[in-house]
């Protein structure tokens, strides 16, 4: 829908809707820093990351940055000037087959130069979402094959080595036939996006 929805982080109430332009196709990833929203989209192998300046306006203009997205999209998360994204391979390429299960590498780069890979490691499983949590750790939402009966599985991983520190399954997070399709974080809370015939966001202590 080319919109950004701003929710209250404590109540999940919708506070504001922002229409975005200069961005087309299918949004499959979003991250934010102090000044911008970053959105990834895909259509075939012609996906991009877009930078959208924060504004109090109800509509904003985005600009295309790097061509990084492929079939299945690209989950992203940002801390400071560092961008982490899930990729098909260690070079940060897009995937040639629509399947989030292909997104098995964690790739690190500068947010301003997403295609200039600084480091990468193997995740060992497909990726449906990423969220940086501090202390050089990232939450990986494991791809569940769009299975509305499978609950969100989260790996807490080392952002440099992809070593799994812990694994959590959030039973009851996404009611069937909704599918886990994204994760976000703020200190003490993890947020799960559930997608399907309807959609909702649920919040857990973490």
């Amino acid at each position: 829908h080319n919109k950004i929805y701003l929710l209250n982080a404590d109540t999940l109430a919708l506070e504001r809707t922002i229409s975005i332009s200069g961005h087309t196709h299918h949004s499959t990833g979003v991250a934010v820093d102090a000044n911008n929203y970053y959105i990834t989209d895909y259509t075939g192998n012609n996906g991009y990351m877009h930078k959208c300046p924060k504004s109090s306006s109800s509509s904003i203009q985005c600009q295309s940055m790097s061509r990084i997205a492929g079939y299945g999209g690209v989950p992203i998360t940002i801390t400071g000037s560092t961008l982490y994204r899930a990729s098909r391979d260690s070079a940060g390429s897009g995937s040639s087959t629509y399947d989030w299960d292909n997104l098995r590498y964690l790739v690190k780069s500068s947010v301003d130069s997403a295609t200039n890979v600084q480091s990468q490691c193997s995740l060992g499983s497909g990726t449906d979402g990423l969220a940086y949590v501090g202390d050089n750790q990232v939450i990986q939402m494991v791809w569940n094959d769009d299975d509305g009966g499978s609950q969100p599985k989260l790996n807490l991983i080392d952002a440099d080595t992809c070593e799994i520190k812990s694994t959590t399954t959030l039973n009851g997070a996404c009611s069937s036939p909704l599918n886990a399709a994204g994760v976000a974080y703020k200190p003490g809370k993890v947020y799960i996006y559930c997608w399907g015939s309807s959609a909702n966001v649920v919040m857990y202590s973490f």
Side-chain angles (χ1 to χ4, degrees):
H1 293 143
N2 288 342
K3 296 182 186 297
I4 294 173
Y5 297 92
L6 298 181
L7 308 180
N8 182 289
D10 296 316
T11 66
L12 301 184
L14 177 64
E15 294 191 338
R16 191 155 64 97
T17 302
I18 303 171
S19 297
I20 57 178
S21 58
H23 158 69
T24 57
H25 312 312
H26 312 284
S27 301
T28 57
V30 62
V32 62
D33 64 16
N35 300 308
N36 300 289
Y37 304 105
Y38 299 87
I39 298 170
T40 57
D41 70 61
Y42 82 95
T43 290
N45 268 336
N46 296 314
Y48 289 85
M49 186 169 78
H50 305 268
K51 180 165 70 174
C52 313
K54 285 184 177 178
S55 170
S56 59
S57 173
S58 61
S59 62
I60 55 177
Q61 177 75 29
C62 303
Q63 67 180 72
S64 294
M65 298 178 70
S66 301
R67 179 176 172 175
I68 62 171
Y71 288 86
V74 176
I76 57 174
T77 188
I78 289 173
T79 176
S81 61
T82 300
L83 171 73
Y84 293 94
R85 58 191 172 96
S87 174
R88 179 190 64 160
D89 55 37
S90 58
S93 304
S95 173
S96 59
T97 303
Y98 182 84
D99 192 345
W100 296 71
D101 192 39
N102 290 330
L103 304 179
R104 290 173 171 256
Y105 280 84
L106 182 67
V107 174
K108 177 182 177 181
S109 64
S110 165
V111 70
D112 292 320
S113 183
T115 57
N116 185 15
V117 176
Q118 297 174 354
S119 64
Q120 66 281 316
C121 55
S122 176
L123 292 165
S125 57
T127 306
D128 216 352
L130 293 172
Y132 188 83
V133 301
D135 296 326
N136 203 44
Q137 297 182 115
V138 173
I139 293 175
Q140 175 206 18
M141 174 179 276
V142 177
W143 168 241
N144 72 346
D145 297 317
D146 264 349
D147 181 359
S150 297
Q151 292 302 304
K153 180 180 176 182
L154 307 179
N155 289 332
L156 181 64
I157 62 174
D158 184 285
D160 289 328
T161 66
C162 288
E163 176 190 356
I164 297 176
K165 302 292 187 179
S166 63
T167 299
T168 302
T169 300
L170 297 178
N171 292 315
C174 294
S175 301
S176 181
L178 300 182
N179 307 309
V183 61
Y185 173 82
K186 80 164 197 172
K189 298 289 184 182
V190 61
Y191 302 83
I192 305 300
Y193 177 70
C194 302
W195 171 86
S197 57
S198 59
N200 63 355
V201 176
V202 292
M203 176 173 57
Y204 283 85
S205 297
F206 184 82

